[in-house]
């Protein structure tokens, strides 16, 4: 399958690329150049595979999946691609033989961080599974010049720096200028009748060129290669020569610069819909380019669009690409000449929508006026869809309240989720609980009308990356115990590990692997942040975006209470406990940034107080990202999944920790519910209110002050927040927020959480028991593999065959 079969051939290929790309020999190359050359060597193989995959698709005229997402949080690709191509060891050896430390070369690769958090990482995991399962699929997004910001901690606070990834990351991209599309913004509509046909043209619109930059996605153990198509924005004229000639130099380049801001930077927020013009431009830009490209290729293939929905399915990753709906309608009606009804039938049957959040502040709504001026034709189409939908709902319910709630256009706003629900063939949530909340709460009236639309597909993770690749010790143990590498293709094979649940020798080996991984993380953290971690302490980790609903603050409250216990009794015997945090806060999310500051103030206090030595340690790991998670997950022992029940749609970090043998402290939220189903009470540390209790307590009038008044430990912790720590910063604002509002009910769950943490410490003191639980967690994590999720999408939503 590959043209490189020996280490020598790999070395030759790398040297060849060094010469071609950098004009240097291996003796003059640095790590980045080696990385680049290695990437080019692999790409040469993948390019061949891409061509044959495309050829096969064309010959079979198979149905294809188009996965549209504003975010793909890819991370690093060199090891991943080498692994999938079966060339991992060969590449490592070749690099070493060429005189480099392979680790240094792999580390030189910047993360392609074109995403915020869970939604973007999920899209990246699914790309891997779609290729591995040999599903003809293409991902589409924007080729952001800057990914999610780099986080620096300065005096305890988050500072954001630009993330420049493309200098080296470009090694993975093939620009295809011949497949450029043009996207139109603004302008005015003119209608005319020609030959009895109504035509609509948009005059005076601003043109933006969308240039595809393709990234090949190799699957594991297959020749199948899919593509992630990232659109770059270019101005048609480098500058306006008419203005230039008039001596207006700045204005002449202005438009050019304005156009190219579209692909400049990823919006670094995963919770606040902001109604910003640039974001709307980004959405329409990538959606319009994508749909034009898909329809163009379809017509080339089939000569008609009437069977478009039979050959194509478009998956909308959250509402961000919702404009595909009116854009497809526009193309079918205005460019192809179909009637409204024809266009509607084909469009409706081609699109499917996944919801990833129920937080109301994250549900996208666009001001009608913005869409009207930026996208006049799209507005007309949305307005017409909305009118027809409203009539339909009215006829069904005869209830103005319901009509209002389900409306697509209401109060001068366009509600993207309602547009998706009204149009799409399938609407799915991302865990059993979340899908239930969609059916019973968020979309309840739509669900009552069209119950068959509503589905669940529980999220999953790429277990080849998140276990096999990043945790080689565990990977070898699994292969040894399960009799080979079958689990890589069939993750449920992990179940076979259960046979060793009472095998002390195996459990000890498992513990040794974990300890080695902890030492590895400690080395990494020492190098990156000069923090010295104690590898004999419990590594208790909360790593995810910082948001109040995820309740990092609850974790902090508990740590403060532990610290106070040590202060009360400095001689107390306790299990050494290291709490690790990794989290980026949206730059405009003030409270989230305060919580990061608090964690750092607390760390500074605890880590410098001699009474905490060998007892308690707190560390905030700077710049949490995919490549840091890859070192963190294998070293973690406790996984904090403590969101307020009903708020976390699924979580996918929870699955990564579980697969690497960490035990979960968690609420019954998101996919934790399904983890609990396979693990039982005895193999995780559940605590806190259930989703329905949350609703009940809130309805009864939740009063956080009562907990403050009645709970001595809690009161002491909150009072400490007000006083702050040795750096003199007061966190009274956070204390007041808890006492006055406590939107996410931390105080309600505080006691239960402390008890759960106590059970953690007790259990950890019994290594036999702990390791057994850890092994069972790994053994039962197979259902959380992305291969399972993607197969469900393929079977139930996309209706495409797969391996
Ligand atoms: C408009 C701003 C914005 C941007 C992104 C709003 C909302 C989002 C995403 C939907 C947030 C997100 O990443 N959601 C996460 O999706 C994961 C994958 O399904 C889930 O595992 C997480 O629970 C969910 O928070």
């Amino acid at each position: 399958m590959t043209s490189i079969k020996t280490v020598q051939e790999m070395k030759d290929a790398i040297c060849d690329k060094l010469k071609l790309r950098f004009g240097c020999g291996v003796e003059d190359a640095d790590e980045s150049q080696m990385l680049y050359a290695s990437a080019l060597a692999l790409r040469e193989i993948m390019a061949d595979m891409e061509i044959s995959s495309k050829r096969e698709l064309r010959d079979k005229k198979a149905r294809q999946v188009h996965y549209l997402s504003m975010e793909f949080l890819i991370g690093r690709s060199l090891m991943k691609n080498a692994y999938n191509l079966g060339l991992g060891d060969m590449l490592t050896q070749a690099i070493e033989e060429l005189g480099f430390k392979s680790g240094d070369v792999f580390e030189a690769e910047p993360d392609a961080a074109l995403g915020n958090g869970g939604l973007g990482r999920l899209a990246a995991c699914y790309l891997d599974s779609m290729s591995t399962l040999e599903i003809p699929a293409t991902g589409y997004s924007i080729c952001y010049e800057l990914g999610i910001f780099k986080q620096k901690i300065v005096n305890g606070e988050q500072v954001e720096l630009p993330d420049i990834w493309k200098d080296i990351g470009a090694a993975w991209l093939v620009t295809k200028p011949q497949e450029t599309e043009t996207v139109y913004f603004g302008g005015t509509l003119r209608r005319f009748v020609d030959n009895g046909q109504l035509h609509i043209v948009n005059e005076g619109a601003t043109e933006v060129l969308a240039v595809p930059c393709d990234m090949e996605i190799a699957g594991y153990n297959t020749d199948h290669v899919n593509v992630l198509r990232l659109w770059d924005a270019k101005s048609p004229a480098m500058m306006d020569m008419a203005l230039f000639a008039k001596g207006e130099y700045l204005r002449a380049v202005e438009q050019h610069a304005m156009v190219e801001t579209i692909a400049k930077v990823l919006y670094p927020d995963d919770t606040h819909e902001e109604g910003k013009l640039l974001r709307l431009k980004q959405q329409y830009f990538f959606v319009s380019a994508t749909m034009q490209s898909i329809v163009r290729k379809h017509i080339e293939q089939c000569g008609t669009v009437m069977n478009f929905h039979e050959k194509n399915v478009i998956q909308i990753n959250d509402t961000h690409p919702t404009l595909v709906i009116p854009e497809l309608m526009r193309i079918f009606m205005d460019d192809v000449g179909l009637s409204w009804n024809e266009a509607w039938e084909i469009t409706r049957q081609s699109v499917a929508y996944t919801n990833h959040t129920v937080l109301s502040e994250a549900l996208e709504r666009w001001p009608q006026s913005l869409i009207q001026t930026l996208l006049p034709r799209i507005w007309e189409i949305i307005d017409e869809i909305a009118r027809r939908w409203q009539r339909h709902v009215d006829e069904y319910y005869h209830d103005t309240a319901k009509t209002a709630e389900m409306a697509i256009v209401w109060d001068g706003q366009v509600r993207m989720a309602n547009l998706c629900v009204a149009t799409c063939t399938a609407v799915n949530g991302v865990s059993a609980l979340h899908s239930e909340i969609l059916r019973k709460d968020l979309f309840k009236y739509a669900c009552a009308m069209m119950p068959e639309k509503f589905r669940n597909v529980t999220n999953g993770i790429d277990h080849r990356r998140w276990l096999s690749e990043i945790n080689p010790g565990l990977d070898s143990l699994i292969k040894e115990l399960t009799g080979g590498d079958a689990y890589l293709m069939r993750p449920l094979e992990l179940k076979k590990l259960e046979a060793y649940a009472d095998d002390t020798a195996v459990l000890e080996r498992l513990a040794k692997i974990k300890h080695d991984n902890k030492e590895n993380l400690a080395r990494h953290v020492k190098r990156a942040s000069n923090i010295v971690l104690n590898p004999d302490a419990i590594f208790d980790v909360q790593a995810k975006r910082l948001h109040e609903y995820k309740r990092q603050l609850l974790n902090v409250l508990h740590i403060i209470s532990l610290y106070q216990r040590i202060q009360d009794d400095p001689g107390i015997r306790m299990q050494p406990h290291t709490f690790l945090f990794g989290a980026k806060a949206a730059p405009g999310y003030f409270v989230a940034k305060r919580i990061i500051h608090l964690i750092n103030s607390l760390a500074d206090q605890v880590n410098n107080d001699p009474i905490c030595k060998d007892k308690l340690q707190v560390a905030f790991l700077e710049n949490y990202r995919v490549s840091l998670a890859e070192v963190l997950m294998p070293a973690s022992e406790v996984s904090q999944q403590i969101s307020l029940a009903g708020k976390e749609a699924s979580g996918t970090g929870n699955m990564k920790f579980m697969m690497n043998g960490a035990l979960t402290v968690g609420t019954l939220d998101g996919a934790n519910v399904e983890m609990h189903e396979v693990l039982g009470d005895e193999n995780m540390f559940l605590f806190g209110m259930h989703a329905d209790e949350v609703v009940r307590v809130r309805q009864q009038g939740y009063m956080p002050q009562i907990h403050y008044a009645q709970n001595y430990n809690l009161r002491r912790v909150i009072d400490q927040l007000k006083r702050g720590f040795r750096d003199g910063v007061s966190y009274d604002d956070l204390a007041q927020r808890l006492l006055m509002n406590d939107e996410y009910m931390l105080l309600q769950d505080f006691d239960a959480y402390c008890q759960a943490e106590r059970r953690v410490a007790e259990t950890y003191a019994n290594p036999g028991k702990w390791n057994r639980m850890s092994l069972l967690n790994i053994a039962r994590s197979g259902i959380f593999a992305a291969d399972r999720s993607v197969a469900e999408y393929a079977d139930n939503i996309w209706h495409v065959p797969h391996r």
Side-chain angles (χ1 to χ4, degrees):
M1 126 176 122
T2 73
S3 48
I4 295 180
K5 295 204 166 53
T6 62
V7 175
Q8 188 55 48
E9 284 172 2
M10 181 67 84
K11 283 159 62 178
D12 292 346
I14 294 172
C15 291
D16 232 45
K17 304 298 172 197
L18 275 177
K19 187 171 69 188
L20 218 69
R21 178 72 179 74
F22 300 106
C24 73
V26 70
E27 60 287 355
D28 295 319
D30 65 13
E31 277 80 11
S32 301
Q33 290 169 324
M34 278 297 288
L35 169 82
Y36 207 111
S38 306
L40 293 181
L42 296 190
R43 255 192 48 206
E44 181 140 40
I45 300 169
M46 295 193 293
D48 281 335
M49 291 159 70
E50 181 194 338
I51 291 167
S52 50
S53 296
K54 275 202 186 125
R55 210 169 273 152
E56 197 185 317
L57 175 66
R58 213 173 307 135
D59 294 346
K60 282 194 187 157
K61 298 200 165 154
R63 183 170 163 90
Q64 307 178 54
V65 177
H66 306 279
Y67 197 96
L68 270 66
S69 177
M70 284 280 276
E71 306 189 5
F72 283 88
L73 195 43
I74 300 284
R76 291 179 176 150
S77 291
L78 184 58
M79 196 48 193
K80 176 69 196 169
N81 282 326
Y83 179 101
N84 276 1
L85 296 169
L87 298 172
D89 293 339
M90 197 188 288
L91 178 65
T92 306
Q93 202 184 329
I95 293 171
E96 298 275 343
E97 286 183 17
L98 289 172
F100 286 80
K101 283 197 182 138
S102 55
D104 293 350
V105 172
F106 291 123
E107 294 252 321
E109 181 171 5
D111 284 28
L114 312 182
N116 274 284
L119 162 127
R121 183 55 233 174
L122 186 78
C125 284
Y126 284 4
L127 285 179
D128 182 89
S129 286
M130 290 188 293
S131 288
T132 301
L133 299 186
E134 299 180 348
I135 295 171
T138 310
Y140 300 88
S141 193
I142 294 171
C143 195
Y144 301 106
E145 188 179 328
L146 304 172
I148 183 86
F149 62 87
K150 277 203 172 121
Q151 179 192 55
K152 275 251 160 239
I153 300 299
V154 179
N155 297 325
E157 295 185 81
Q158 168 174 300
V159 173
E160 301 92 17
L161 299 175
D163 167 44
I164 296 161
W165 70 282
K166 264 217 263 176
D167 292 352
I168 298 176
W172 298 110
L173 300 174
V174 203
T175 309
K176 297 195 178 143
Q178 70 283 7
E179 294 188 40
T180 296
E181 300 287 349
T182 307
V183 179
Y184 299 87
F185 292 100
T188 42
L189 302 177
R190 190 168 64 82
R191 282 154 214 275
F192 62 92
V193 179
D194 181 36
N195 243 337
Q197 267 258 339
L198 177 68
H199 292 267
I200 299 177
V201 290
N202 187 354
E203 291 176 337
T206 303
E207 290 180 23
V208 179
L209 301 182
V211 184
C213 301
D214 286 359
M215 189 186 280
E216 283 134 351
I217 309 288
Y220 172 71
N221 190 25
T222 170
D223 285 349
H224 189 84
V225 162
N226 286 324
V227 162
L228 169 60
R229 170 157 284 197
L230 302 172
W231 296 101
D232 196 7
K234 291 280 170 217
S235 166
M238 278 304 280
M239 58 173 138
D240 186 328
M241 290 315 286
L243 286 172
F244 192 81
K246 283 193 279 178
E248 297 193 53
Y249 306 121
L250 282 181
R251 271 190 62 204
V253 289
E254 203 170 59
Q255 174 152 338
H256 167 70
M258 188 279 287
V259 162
E260 298 194 353
T261 56
I262 290 179
K264 197 79 188 167
V265 59
L266 169 90
Y267 269 80
D269 198 340
D270 63 347
T271 40
H272 288 270
E273 155 278 307
E274 262 211 279
K276 282 270 172 18
L277 179 64
L278 180 60
R279 186 164 166 101
L280 184 62
K281 280 189 188 163
Q282 288 187 334
Q283 293 184 352
Y284 184 68
F285 167 73
F286 106 94
V287 157
S288 176
T290 300
M291 295 325 300
Q292 291 185 62
S293 154
I294 295 173
V295 174
R296 185 185 315 286
K297 287 183 184 171
H298 178 85
I299 293 176
E300 273 166 24
Q301 265 270 302
C302 299
T304 169
V305 297
M306 298 314 286
N307 64 347
F308 182 86
H309 54 291
E310 289 160 17
K311 298 291 173 191
N312 299 281
V313 54
I314 290 142
Q315 188 67 41
I316 310 182
N317 202 26
D318 214 80
T319 54
H320 320 147
T322 301
L323 292 171
V324 290
I325 295 166
E327 177 66 4
L328 248 190
M329 292 291 289
R330 183 193 69 76
I331 295 172
F332 287 153
M333 294 189 298
D334 300 358
D335 297 351
V336 180
L338 300 192
S339 69
W340 176 280
N341 287 337
E342 289 169 326
W344 177 251
E345 279 310 307
I346 300 171
T347 300
R348 180 179 78 66
Q349 295 179 65
S350 306
V351 286
Y353 158 58
T354 306
N355 173 285
H356 294 267
T357 178
V358 295
L359 295 185
S360 56
E361 65 268 34
L363 293 179
E364 286 191 298
R365 293 152 189 265
W366 290 103
Q368 171 181 330
S369 55
L370 209 61
I371 298 192
Q372 270 169 327
T373 39
L374 189 70
L375 309 168
R377 180 61 181 142
I378 292 300
W379 162 253
E380 286 186 345
I381 295 169
I382 292 175
D383 197 35
E384 181 60 18
I385 296 173
R387 212 178 50 75
R388 290 173 184 237
W389 170 244
Q390 194 154 319
R391 201 175 57 210
H392 183 54
V393 172
D394 240 1
E395 280 166 7
Y396 187 91
Y397 279 120
H398 306 288
D399 178 335
T400 37
K402 293 190 175 101
T403 302
E405 188 177 316
M406 295 170 75
I408 294 169
V409 178
W410 197 259
D411 251 358
Q413 296 207 305
V414 183
R415 300 168 178 170
M416 305 314 256
N418 285 354
L419 177 52
C420 286
V421 168
T423 312
C424 290
T425 47
V427 174
N428 77 283
V430 290
S431 72
L433 175 67
H434 170 62
S435 296
E436 201 50 25
I437 293 173
L438 295 185
R439 281 188 278 246
K440 297 282 152 66
D441 186 13
L442 196 60
F443 301 134
K444 56 179 177 294
Y445 300 130
C447 183
M449 280 172 73
M450 319 166 283
E452 68 295 341
K453 259 194 199 186
F454 289 80
R455 323 278 173 85
N456 173 247
V457 182
T458 299
N459 283 167
I461 58 171
D462 169 6
H463 72 295
R464 289 170 289 272
R465 179 187 285 260
W466 291 108
L467 197 178
S468 173
E469 210 190 302
I470 65 170
N471 198 340
L474 182 56
D475 177 59
S476 324
L477 182 65
I478 293 170
K479 286 174 179 162
E480 182 190 319
L481 299 178
T482 62
D485 60 5
Y487 95 96
L488 295 174
M489 291 297 290
R490 277 177 279 125
L492 291 177
E493 288 282 308
L494 286 169
K495 263 244 169 288
K496 289 188 177 161
L497 290 176
E498 283 201 33
Y500 301 90
D502 297 303
D503 183 328
T504 37
V506 165
L507 295 181
E508 275 164 23
R509 285 172 69 192
L510 189 63
K512 167 80 167 62
I513 291 165
K514 184 62 80 179
H515 200 270
D516 290 348
N517 291 337
K518 288 166 75 179
E519 284 179 339
N520 185 47
L521 174 68
R523 274 192 300 277
H524 194 277
V525 171
K526 175 77 179 65
R527 219 180 320 128
S529 329
N530 207 25
I531 299 171
V532 179
L533 300 179
N534 170 11
D536 296 319
I538 314 181
F539 278 14
D540 187 327
V541 184
Q542 188 167 19
K544 48 181 81 250
R545 282 301 287 265
L546 211 137
H547 194 285
E548 287 165 283
Y549 85 81
K550 297 178 187 280
R551 303 204 292 190
Q552 281 95 348
L553 188 52
L554 180 58
N555 191 343
V556 171
L557 296 183
H558 167 254
I559 299 169
I560 296 174
S561 79
L562 267 189
Y563 179 46
Q564 291 176 335
R565 189 135 40 101
I566 297 170
Q567 287 176 314
D568 290 346
D569 176 8
I572 190 173
R573 280 172 52 88
M574 64 176 268
Q575 183 59 54
H577 209 139
T578 293
F579 291 91
L580 299 167
F581 291 86
K584 285 178 181 173
Y589 188 175
F590 181 76
V591 176
K593 290 179 139 181
R594 288 287 292 159
I595 294 170
I596 289 179
H597 198 179
L598 169 62
I599 296 168
N600 284 304
S601 292
L602 175 63
D604 170 69
Q605 173 81 34
V606 163
N607 302 344
N608 290 294
D609 189 336
I611 63 170
C612 293
K613 187 167 177 330
D614 294 329
K615 292 193 175 70
L616 181 61
Q617 185 178 34
V618 180
F620 187 92
L621 307 180
E622 194 172 71
N623 201 28
Y624 182 58
R625 61 196 184 283
V626 173
S627 57
L628 178 53
E630 290 174 347
V631 195
L632 186 58
M633 296 293 166
S636 297
E637 294 174 294
V638 177
S639 157
Q640 296 281 344
Q641 308 300 337
I642 60 177
S643 51
L644 177 66
K647 296 291 181 192
E648 189 69 273
S650 162
T652 43
N654 47 1
M655 302 169 184
K656 292 163 200 161
F657 283 105
M658 178 186 183
M659 226 173 237
N660 283 279
L663 306 187
T664 301
V665 176
T667 47
L668 274 175
D669 199 13
N672 297 355
V673 175
E674 287 147 273
M675 287 168 53
H676 177 241
E677 264 164 31
V678 296
L679 291 172
D681 286 339
E682 63 283 12
N683 291 305
M684 64 191 292
F685 303 96
L686 272 191
F687 75 96
M689 287 181 287
H690 298 186
D692 43 0
E693 282 176 82
V694 169
V695 175
R696 195 160 3 101
V697 172
R698 220 191 278 284
Q699 273 167 358
Q700 287 164 356
Y702 173 57
M703 286 199 289
Q705 308 86 352
I706 293 182
H707 295 288
Y708 179 79
Q710 291 177 351
N711 183 334
Y712 169 75
N713 282 334
L714 176 63
R715 187 157 68 246
R716 229 178 131 195
V717 168
I718 294 200
D719 291 346
Q720 177 84 62
L721 279 186
K722 299 180 188 173
R723 283 195 307 278
F725 301 95
R726 63 173 208 161
D727 63 8
V729 181
S730 160
Y731 292 95
D732 190 42
D733 53 338
L734 295 180
Q736 292 310 320
R737 202 170 169 85
L738 291 176
L739 293 172
M740 293 309 168
N741 185 355
D742 194 17
E743 171 85 29
Y744 300 103
M745 301 179 151
L746 281 68
L747 304 198
Q748 178 80 24
D749 276 342
F750 175 75
D751 257 345
Y753 179 58
C754 292
Q755 277 165 31
E757 278 286 328
R758 215 162 300 144
R759 282 183 278 141
V760 168
E762 277 164 25
T763 312
Y764 198 81
N766 179 349
K769 183 171 179 198
W770 185 277
N771 296 332
R772 184 177 194 279
M773 289 168 72
S774 173
L775 179 119
L776 291 177
N777 268 263
I778 302 164
R780 297 177 189 173
S781 66
I783 57 160
F784 298 113
D787 289 355
R788 188 267 312 145
S789 314
V790 166
E792 288 181 16
Y793 278 99
D795 293 338
N796 305 328
I797 296 179
W798 302 335
H799 305 295
V800 294
H802 60 84
R803 270 223 276 198

